[in-house]
Amino acid sequence: MINLNNVNIYQEFEDMMKRQDLNNADIAAVTGVSRSAVKDWRKARKIEDKRLFQIANAFDDERFSLAVVCYSYGYQAIFLNMLDRYRGDDLSLLIGTQKEDLDSDSAIKGLIEELSKKNPDKSIVKGYLKQIIETIGMMLSSVKKIATEQNIPVQQIF
């Protein structure tokens, strides 16, 4: 898989291991590899791409799950910053998604106005596009959290 974005998936993996207080044996158990294989990944600072969704599905860690989606599908790391704005429970994420969606509606209106001009201001266009991207990130995070709680693997959603 080619990484088309700026998500440092290895660092996200290490951070998730710290947040979840995991060790190599925990990762080995969910990926079906040996502890020494996990040790080798960590030493090389490289995780096999095919193992990322296994790890994300095994542990309730929204940030790592979203990082895997961003990394795998070429989305920008900006999505990961959305998680810092809201609490991690379902209701907060859904309310955050709705708020971001309303903000995105305003951004789309503004973007249409700006693009209708003879010479659109690129910095204004960029700001509107950023807001729309943030909405997508919030929606992804909400979907992943609810899917996990409903025991629906991420791969079945995409």
Side-chain angles (χ1 to χ4, degrees):
M1 198 174 309
I2 297 172
N3 183 8
L4 302 174
N5 57 40
N6 57 352
V7 174
N8 182 338
I9 197 64
Y10 179 77
Q11 188 59 55
E12 294 293 339
F13 169 73
E14 286 294 324
D15 291 347
M16 185 266 309
M17 287 194 63
K18 288 177 188 168
R19 282 191 300 273
Q20 299 287 331
D21 194 28
L22 302 173
N23 58 41
N24 292 353
D26 298 322
I27 301 301
V30 300
T31 57
V33 302
S34 67
R35 287 184 295 212
S36 63
V38 175
K39 183 179 177 182
D40 291 343
W41 296 346
R42 295 182 79 185
K43 185 176 178 181
R45 300 183 57 84
K46 173 78 173 106
I47 304 164
E48 295 178 49
D49 287 351
K50 66 182 181 179
R51 305 294 182 195
L52 293 173
F53 277 106
Q54 290 176 310
I55 297 167
N57 285 331
F59 303 103
D60 187 21
D61 191 289
E62 281 93 63
R63 182 170 178 97
F64 183 70
S65 296
L66 186 55
V68 169
V69 169
C70 291
Y71 175 82
S72 298
Y73 294 100
Y75 302 140
Q76 291 295 309
I78 191 173
F79 293 138
L80 300 175
N81 299 330
M82 296 301 298
L83 295 177
D84 298 334
R85 293 186 191 176
Y86 303 98
R87 291 190 331 245
D89 61 278
D90 289 350
L91 183 58
S92 294
L93 288 174
L94 287 173
I95 290 170
T97 298
Q98 187 172 32
K99 180 196 175 303
E100 293 297 330
D101 190 39
L102 291 172
D103 291 346
S104 184
D105 289 345
S106 297
I108 290 169
K109 286 180 183 179
L111 184 58
I112 290 169
E113 279 182 32
E114 193 62 32
L115 292 175
S116 297
K117 295 178 180 177
K118 186 175 181 172
N119 294 312
D121 183 324
K122 291 186 191 278
S123 65
I124 293 173
V125 169
K126 181 181 174 183
Y128 289 136
L129 293 175
K130 180 179 184 273
Q131 180 57 52
I132 294 166
I133 287 172
E134 288 177 345
T135 299
I136 295 166
M138 195 67 208
M139 289 179 177
L140 282 171
S141 179
S142 296
V143 165
K144 172 58 178 112
K145 172 104 171 114
I146 293 167
T148 298
E149 290 179 359
Q150 296 299 313
N151 295 317
I152 301 170
V154 176
Q155 298 92 322
Q156 290 181 5
I157 298 171
F158 292 97

